[in-house]
Amino acid sequence: MLQATPLTEGWILRHEGGELPAVVPGCVHTDLLAAGAIPDPFLGRNETDLAWVGRRDWTYETELPPVDGHEQTDLVFDGLDTVAEILLDGQLLGRTRNMHRSYRFDVTGMAGRLAVRFVSAYAEAEAVRGKLGERPAAYAEPYQYLRKMACSFGWDWGPTLVTAGIWRPVRIERWSTARIARVRPLVTVGEQGLGVVELAVEVERARVEAPLRVEASVGGVRASASLDGTEGVVRLEVPDVGLWWPRGYGEQPLYDVELTLLHEDRPLDVWRRRVGFRTVELDRAADAHGTGFTLVVNGERLFARGVNWIPDDVFPSRITRERYRERLGQAAAAGVDLVRIWGGGIYESEDFYDACDELGLLVWQDFPFACAAYPEEQPLRGEVEAEARENVVRLMPHPSLVLWNGNNENLWGFRDWGWEARLAGDSWGEGYYLGVLPRVVAELDPTRPYTAGSPWSGSWEHHPNDPAHGTHHSWEVWNREDYAEYRREVPRFVAEFGWQAPPAYATLARALPGEVLAADSPGVLHHQKADDGNGKLRRGLERHFAFPEGDFDRWHYLMQVNQARAVAAGIEHWRSHWPVCAGTVVWQLNDCWPVTSWAAIDGDGREKPLYHELRRLYADRLLTLRGRVLAVVNQTAEEWAGAVRLRRMSVAGTVIGEADVEFRAGRRAVAEVSVPRELDPVGPKEFLVADADGLRAVHFPVADREIPYPQPEFDVSVAPGAVTVTAHTLVRDLLLQADRLDPAARADRGLVTLLPGERVTIGVSGWKTPDPDAARSALYCMEPSR
């Protein structure tokens, strides 16, 4: 039987100045940190002082002990970052140049000193650039010249910390006769609930003539097949399977699949995975509105409630199974049902996809290409196909994976960012996105759809980012326009959009020790990576609020409010236009370090007000006011009928007019209710409130800076685990910043608007000494303009 032994002990990291202990899996930065050789790059402006790390070569070493008792011994690396040569007692085993692949080396009968020598990623990228020529990109760093996590070279939300190391597990595998090299599971659902698992098996042989067979089981069904040569297929049919559904649509039953390789009834190797039975289609049919982009799971058409995912740490080896489950659990708790793994990161670990399988989170997987023209010549072309083949097969068992996407913004960049003229006919990646990748997916994983890019209109007949065709990225808003402009159009599927805000106060305070926080203080500016980021924040705020000069706390609060308002403007509008618009994917769920960004959850894992707003926006039922139209959004499987209470109110708290209007929204449908003309608010002193079944929508006809808000008056009481606020006036966008009470404290809700006489109880965890005065000092809301 194949025996696998993790190779985790005794590693050292050698460098120009000497050596230090190393942890594998890990990377150079984490080993230097553990040894106290560098400061934390996340704190202050330390990042800048550590640029040298990515410019040096590094060597990992350990002893490979002698092993025997089997016909073959392999040294297996699940991930090497990135350009390395592997030597055993000075003998070269091989070279690597791809972070996104695994590697296997025959070390039968060998032992001694194992060395993994990493060349600077900069040196390799610059050598490839010198050979193949310049290619344009959104950023100056040379990330497009090697197969490595692009965002380790920095991004408009991430630090430039160029990593190297053995970033995924390494082990010794000993085996005899034969081993399982690859299993490609095709999981389909036939008529009358028949689940089919077809396992295409490839083996590596140590003995060519040995007769081999495989036995497989799933859901109580067993089957076997003989292998001719190195390949074979075993088919299992499972009657009456339970269908795997996205969260909110049904359950997520998972089935254990086991395949055993045998020689004369002696087990040689075992492959185990979990699968789920479901169908997935992508409806891209043309219609009166353009070209659609609608996910269909088990025959059910979905409005996708999505978030974009970036690597959760700039050092991915630090991300544990528990951390994946915490972050993805936060996404599910916010009503998210789709997570897009963005193309400037990595193919995530099995732990990520396992969590999505269990939580019912659909996964849209980008191939790792982002915001650059990528050369198609060697040595890159062969690496691209090899990594695609490996990862497509690796991820196939996961029912959560529903879409392969060729790249992020590169087709758009070619057309709109001046690349075409600069390239002058040089290769730039089109051959990957429209050739290599769809061919690999069609050959290996025909059960899932593929799209060439995001954004992508489906063909060059339309502009790549045409909102009427396919996927759309909405970045004129934020970069140049106000978020009110979201309401100008109804894209078919909004795959990226968002608005920035700083991280939580406690996150900033930890990341900038000793700094007096200000919107333009040195550390705050360093932890803002977007081009003119603070300028865009200011201009975006001034369209709605008076800018709070010199008041950091007020600036911090208003930026959080503006972020939540911006994302709400988009999602409410687009959800209300289902089924023309079939999904929104917010940029972004998470951060990889403490930074001002578009994230809903900051780099310390704290939830911004945007996160809590997503819980409202992505709930199965939503009310949204569009002037004199109330949209009633019902994403449940049952009809939603009732009456909505409409109130025209003054900011002083008086009811000017009211009415109860009946509505009926069908299953997974949107209904529109006309607001009686006499309830239409007029001028800055009036607003409209709609309430139904515990849900509320509020519409103010003018910007906040024009509203004569009353001085907010409210009472505050505390109890263990709770803060209760009772309003005596209109209190708009009340926010308890729990981390100001204690860095460990969390609140269970974000922004809330109270009418006079209303109260809200906010759950607070992690606050050890409840105090009403402290609670009041951590509460923020809209105030009269200053």
Side-chain angles (χ1 to χ4, degrees):
M1 191 72 167
L2 182 146
Q3 294 183 350
T5 305
L7 197 59
T8 57
E9 302 298 325
W11 288 94
I12 62 169
L13 176 63
R14 292 193 183 277
H15 56 99
E16 294 176 4
E19 64 181 55
L20 50 87
V23 173
V24 171
C27 75
V28 169
H29 287 85
T30 53
D31 289 330
L32 292 170
L33 271 170
I38 60 172
D40 188 338
F42 288 8
L43 301 185
R45 291 177 283 173
N46 292 340
E47 170 210 353
T48 304
D49 297 331
L50 299 180
W52 60 270
V53 177
R55 294 278 179 183
R56 290 197 183 175
D57 299 344
W58 304 87
T59 299
Y60 283 81
E61 291 185 5
T62 192
E63 287 295 324
L64 189 67
V67 293
D68 53 23
H70 290 76
E71 294 175 349
Q72 182 149 336
T73 301
D74 292 338
L75 173 63
V76 183
F77 294 94
D78 285 341
L80 292 170
D81 175 17
T82 292
V83 181
E85 59 179 17
I86 296 88
L87 303 101
L88 186 54
D89 261 1
Q91 178 179 338
L92 180 66
L93 298 179
R95 293 184 173 90
T96 73
R97 57 190 320 126
N98 193 328
M99 181 181 182
H100 305 303
R101 292 180 58 187
S102 63
Y103 295 92
R104 178 180 294 267
F105 303 100
D106 184 350
V107 293
T108 305
M110 303 175 70
R113 195 68 174 171
L114 175 65
V116 184
R117 296 178 179 171
F118 288 97
V119 175
S120 162
Y122 280 109
E124 169 69 9
E126 288 158 3
V128 172
R129 179 170 57 190
K131 176 183 177 182
L132 302 182
E134 291 280 353
R135 298 297 195 282
Y139 302 98
E141 298 280 312
Y143 58 89
Q144 70 270 45
Y145 300 103
L146 73 170
R147 300 306 298 150
K148 175 178 171 58
M149 182 175 85
C151 64
S152 71
F153 288 91
W155 221 260
D156 57 5
W157 36 258
T160 302
L161 294 166
V162 178
T163 51
I166 305 171
W167 77 289
R168 279 183 166 162
V170 56
R171 62 190 174 277
I172 296 294
E173 288 189 358
R174 295 175 289 161
W175 54 279
S176 298
T177 308
R179 71 172 186 89
I180 298 171
R182 186 173 81 164
V183 178
R184 185 168 61 90
L186 286 175
V187 181
T188 56
V189 181
E191 296 181 357
Q192 299 176 335
L194 179 68
V196 179
V197 180
E198 191 172 276
L199 302 170
V201 186
E202 297 177 18
V203 301
E204 180 184 358
R205 287 176 174 267
R207 280 188 264 165
V208 176
E209 301 301 327
L212 301 175
R213 64 187 177 89
V214 289
E215 292 182 349
S217 64
V218 60
V221 175
R222 306 186 68 84
S224 64
S226 297
L227 297 186
D228 294 326
T230 59
E231 298 182 356
V233 176
V234 59
R235 178 184 172 94
L236 302 106
E237 297 184 351
V238 186
D240 301 319
V241 294
L243 292 180
W244 185 97
W245 287 93
R247 60 165 302 282
Y249 290 82
E251 301 301 315
Q252 293 81 41
L254 297 169
Y255 291 75
D256 293 318
V257 180
E258 182 173 294
L259 181 141
T260 305
L261 175 66
L262 301 107
H263 168 58
E264 297 177 344
D265 295 326
R266 179 170 62 90
L268 302 176
D269 198 358
V270 177
W271 178 91
R272 298 182 180 91
R273 296 293 188 276
R274 291 186 307 174
V275 301
F277 293 95
R278 55 102 186 95
T279 64
V280 60
E281 304 166 74
L282 181 60
D283 185 353
R284 289 181 270 203
D287 57 25
H289 304 280
T291 308
F293 194 92
T294 304
L295 284 166
V296 185
V297 177
N298 299 328
E300 187 78 63
R301 300 174 68 82
L302 312 180
F303 181 96
R305 294 169 279 186
V307 288
N308 282 276
W309 172 275
I310 66 169
D312 205 50
D313 196 316
V314 75
F315 307 130
S317 59
R318 296 200 298 199
I319 308 173
T320 63
R321 182 178 182 86
E322 293 71 28
R323 183 160 158 187
Y324 275 125
R325 289 179 179 268
E326 177 187 5
R327 199 71 71 244
L328 292 166
Q330 288 172 299
V336 169
D337 59 22
L338 180 143
V339 179
R340 176 192 171 210
I341 301 177
W342 167 76
I346 57 177
Y347 306 94
E348 293 286 348
S349 79
E350 295 297 324
D351 294 333
F352 179 98
Y353 304 94
D354 285 345
C356 290
D357 290 343
E358 295 165 10
L359 292 167
L361 292 171
L362 302 173
V363 175
W364 160 334
Q365 176 71 57
D366 280 14
F367 286 97
F369 301 89
C371 300
Y374 284 77
E376 296 177 40
E377 294 78 19
Q378 298 294 9
L380 292 172
R381 188 178 184 88
E383 290 293 344
V384 166
E385 179 152 356
E387 82 176 49
R389 287 183 170 277
E390 176 176 335
N391 284 285
V392 165
V393 173
R394 177 174 74 90
L395 300 180
M396 282 175 65
H398 296 282
S400 56
L401 178 58
V402 295
L403 182 66
W404 293 103
N405 176 51
N407 75 90
N408 175 75
E409 298 191 343
N410 294 345
L411 295 160
W412 181 21
F414 178 76
R415 178 56 52 86
D416 269 7
W417 300 350
W419 294 0
E420 189 169 3
R422 292 173 60 189
L423 286 162
D426 285 344
S427 67
W428 57 276
E430 182 183 27
Y432 298 143
Y433 319 134
L434 300 180
V436 173
L437 297 176
R439 170 171 54 80
V440 168
V441 171
E443 175 192 340
L444 299 177
D445 189 14
T447 67
R448 288 180 177 88
Y450 169 87
T451 184
S454 184
W456 180 233
S457 59
S459 79
W460 288 114
E461 294 179 5
H462 305 289
H463 187 281
N465 199 29
D466 188 333
H469 300 277
T471 49
H472 177 66
H473 289 194
S474 180
W475 285 120
E476 285 301 301
V477 170
W478 163 253
N479 281 317
R480 280 165 285 278
E481 298 177 348
D482 182 46
Y483 53 75
E485 298 302 308
Y486 283 141
R487 304 186 182 99
R488 284 191 313 175
E489 57 192 15
V490 182
R492 305 313 302 269
F493 192 105
V494 190
E496 282 190 21
F497 71 105
W499 201 270
Q500 275 200 347
Y505 177 84
T507 299
L508 272 179
R510 185 193 69 81
L512 304 175
E515 180 164 311
V516 177
L517 297 179
D520 58 353
S521 61
V524 170
L525 290 177
H526 183 78
H527 288 248
Q528 161 62 280
K529 295 297 186 178
D531 182 34
D532 189 30
N534 269 25
K536 292 171 183 175
L537 280 173
R538 178 169 187 141
R539 290 189 292 276
L541 191 73
E542 287 178 333
R543 294 182 178 110
H544 300 271
F545 303 95
F547 192 83
E549 297 285 358
D551 186 341
F552 174 81
D553 291 340
R554 196 72 188 164
W555 175 88
H556 184 268
Y557 162 73
L558 289 176
M559 290 301 176
Q560 303 284 348
V561 171
N562 221 33
Q563 181 186 38
R565 296 262 196 98
V567 172
I571 294 179
E572 290 188 12
H573 176 66
W574 295 321
R575 276 194 77 180
S576 73
H577 284 90
W578 160 260
V580 176
C581 180
T584 57
V585 189
V586 176
W587 188 269
Q588 64 214 66
L589 174 70
N590 58 324
D591 269 327
C592 64
W593 78 312
V595 64
T596 294
S597 85
W598 298 263
I601 302 168
D602 75 19
D604 281 6
R606 293 187 174 91
E607 297 145 347
K608 296 183 188 179
L610 171 60
Y611 172 84
H612 297 283
E613 186 69 353
L614 285 178
R615 293 174 59 189
R616 179 184 72 85
L617 296 167
Y618 277 166
D620 287 341
R621 291 175 171 174
L622 174 70
L623 299 178
T624 178
L625 283 160
R626 303 195 312 253
R628 294 193 55 245
V629 173
L630 172 71
V632 180
V633 181
N634 178 28
Q635 209 158 342
T636 71
E638 294 81 35
E639 180 183 82
W640 182 20
V644 60
R645 187 184 183 198
L646 298 169
R647 284 179 285 174
R648 177 183 171 189
M649 298 192 66
S650 74
V651 293
T654 58
V655 176
I656 301 168
E658 60 184 320
D660 291 331
V661 180
E662 293 185 352
F663 66 87
R664 186 177 300 275
R667 158 187 201 280
R668 311 208 195 283
V670 178
E672 292 187 349
V673 175
S674 295
V675 175
R677 187 171 298 277
E678 62 271 17
L679 297 185
D680 202 15
V682 176
K685 296 183 179 181
E686 296 182 4
F687 62 101
L688 181 63
V689 181
D691 292 292
D693 292 343
L695 302 181
R696 170 171 286 176
V698 180
H699 169 62
F700 287 78
V702 300
D704 286 72
R705 64 175 182 269
E706 300 176 32
I707 300 171
Y709 285 117
Q711 187 65 40
E713 297 178 8
F714 52 85
D715 294 331
V716 179
S717 62
V718 300
V723 173
T724 298
V725 178
T726 303
H728 302 299
T729 62
L730 170 66
V731 178
R732 190 178 187 196
D733 286 331
L734 179 74
L735 175 67
L736 175 66
Q737 296 192 42
D739 60 292
R740 288 177 178 263
L741 301 172
D742 188 300
R746 296 288 194 276
D748 67 357
R749 67 176 61 214
L751 301 167
V752 60
T753 292
L754 299 176
L755 304 180
E758 293 182 337
R759 69 173 55 185
V760 63
T761 296
I762 304 166
V764 182
S765 60
W767 188 24
K768 297 177 182 178
T769 55
D771 173 72
D773 292 335
R776 181 174 282 275
S777 70
L779 285 164
Y780 292 77
C781 64
M782 290 296 114
E783 298 177 352
S785 295
R786 303 179 189 181

